Amino acid sequence: MRGLLHVSDHGFGHASRCSALALALLDQPKLAKLTIAVPQRYVSLFFAQVQKHPRAAFLDLGTDCGIPIRPGELWPDPAYVDGSLTSWVNSWGIRLQELQSIPFDLVIADASPLACELARRRNLPCALVSNFEWHAQFVGLGLRGPAVDAVERAYASVTQWLRYPLPTPSLAVPAHKTVDVPMCTRTASPLEVEALRSALPYPRVLLTMGGLIRFDEPLQLPSIEGTLIITTGMHARACNASAVVDLSVGVTDALSHVGAADLIVTKAGWGTVAEAASARKPLLVLRRNGVPEDEATLGALESAGLGQGFDLWDIDRAIATAVRAGLEPTPGLHNDPTAVARACLALA
C-alpha cells in the first residue's frame, strides 16, 4: 500500500503532529511507501527517523490556506480571509496537477480540504485526521460563497474523519463518518528534558503562538522570576527573569522545551496544546472570542482541567496567578500514534 500524508502548512503545529503520525505509519509493514506533502521549511519538524526512512519521501508543496493572520493581528479579518480563500481554491487545479504523477492508494489529510478534494477526484479512500475542519471555521467567521462551498464538498466526501480529542464540531463531515481516536503527538526525549530542567531556573515559562501570531511590541512580563522561553514571533521583556531562552529566529523545534517547561502560554493551536497535554503541563491559552477552533479547544481544556484561558492585556497577572497556584501536573490526555496509524490504514 502507498500512502500520501498531506500536511497542512498553516503553522508549525500541523507539521509537528504529523511527524508522530508519519513515524507510526512507517512502523506498519503494510505501508510500502509514504509520500509526505509539506513545504520544505517544515521538514525540520519531523523526527530524524522519518526524514531518513527509506520508505518515506518528502514533496515540497504548499498545502493549505487556513485562516491567514497578518503581522500584528490577533483576530482574523474575515474580508482578508475570504480573499485569500477564494484565491487558494481557484488554484486547486494547478496544485492537484503537481500530484498527478505520484502513485498512492490512500490519502491521509491533516485538516486541508485540498487533500480531500484530491481523493475525491481520484476516487481514493481518504482519512481526515484532525481535531477540526476549516469549513466550520470559515462559516464561523461569517464567510459564504463558491469557495466555502468547494471546501464543504471536499470534506463531505471523506471516507472517515478520525477525530482527535479537543475537537471543534464539523458542519461538513457527516456524523456517521466520524470516529474518535486518541491523541497523536510527539513526546520529548527524557534525557533532553532533564538536561534543560537542570540548566534552567524554576519556574520555566514557555511562551509560544505557533509561528502564526507575531507581536511587534514586546509583552511586559515582570512577574517571571525564573526562566522565560520564547519562540517564533514572540517578543517579551521579563526584567526579573533569571534566564531568557530565545528560540524566535527561524523554524525552531521547541519540543524539548515543552517537556522542560512548568507552564506553557500559547494560543489554542492543537499541536502545542496536545504536546503539553501529553506531557501533563498546565496551560494558559489566549482567549480569542469569535474564532471557532479557539473557543472549542479552550472550553474542552477548561472542562478537563488541562488549562485556563487568559486575555492578552492580562497575561502577566495570569502567569503570576498560575505560578502561585503551584503548577501541578494536569490529568493529561492519552497519546497513541500507533492506534491512529492503524485506523488510517484500515480504510484502504
Side-chain angles (χ1 to χ4, degrees), residues 12-229:
F12 300 160
H14 290 274
S16 64
R17 76 187 190 183
C18 283
S19 179
L21 179 56
L23 192 59
L25 287 165
L26 290 165
D27 280 342
Q28 303 301 309
K30 68 186 295 186
L31 187 67
K33 183 175 182 180
L34 182 66
T35 300
I36 304 169
V38 64
Q40 181 63 37
R41 66 183 180 276
Y42 290 131
V43 172
S44 63
L45 294 172
F46 282 74
F47 283 124
Q49 299 97 303
V50 176
Q51 297 176 38
K52 299 176 182 178
H53 201 288
R55 290 188 284 119
F58 285 90
L59 178 64
D60 185 3
L61 183 68
T63 55
D64 212 344
C65 167
I67 297 181
I69 299 286
R70 290 174 290 197
E73 287 183 340
L74 284 180
W75 280 263
D77 175 0
Y80 177 67
V81 175
D82 193 25
S84 301
L85 173 63
T86 298
S87 296
W88 180 57
V89 170
N90 288 342
S91 75
W92 280 8
I94 295 174
R95 294 176 186 273
L96 293 175
Q97 287 179 5
E98 299 179 52
L99 294 164
Q100 284 299 320
S101 62
I102 300 173
F104 45 84
D105 310 297
L106 169 68
V107 176
I108 302 169
D110 165 58
S112 177
L114 178 59
C116 305
E117 179 67 10
L118 171 66
R120 188 181 75 85
R121 294 190 186 188
R122 291 178 59 166
N123 197 30
L124 292 172
C126 178
L128 173 64
V129 191
S130 183
N131 62 306
F132 74 99
E133 45 85 352
W134 288 117
H135 173 258
Q137 305 261 46
F138 298 139
V139 172
L141 291 175
L143 306 189
R144 300 289 188 274
V148 176
D149 293 343
V151 171
E152 182 179 20
R153 284 193 300 272
Y155 282 128
S157 71
V158 302
T159 309
Q160 201 164 82
W161 180 19
L162 302 177
R163 185 172 62 180
Y164 286 143
L166 312 175
T168 302
S170 173
L171 298 176
V173 181
H176 71 274
K177 293 185 176 183
T178 303
V179 175
D180 289 321
V181 294
M183 283 201 313
C184 179
T185 191
R186 305 179 304 166
T187 303
S189 160
L191 291 177
E192 293 179 5
V193 168
E194 185 55 38
L196 283 172
R197 289 180 68 83
S198 297
L200 300 175
Y202 177 90
R204 307 158 195 96
V205 178
L206 171 63
L207 174 61
T208 178
M209 296 289 169
L212 292 177
I213 295 176
R214 297 172 179 267
F215 294 114
D216 296 327
E217 297 297 325
L219 298 171
Q220 303 299 320
L221 304 175
S223 71
I224 297 177
E225 296 181 351
T227 301
L228 173 64
I229 307 163

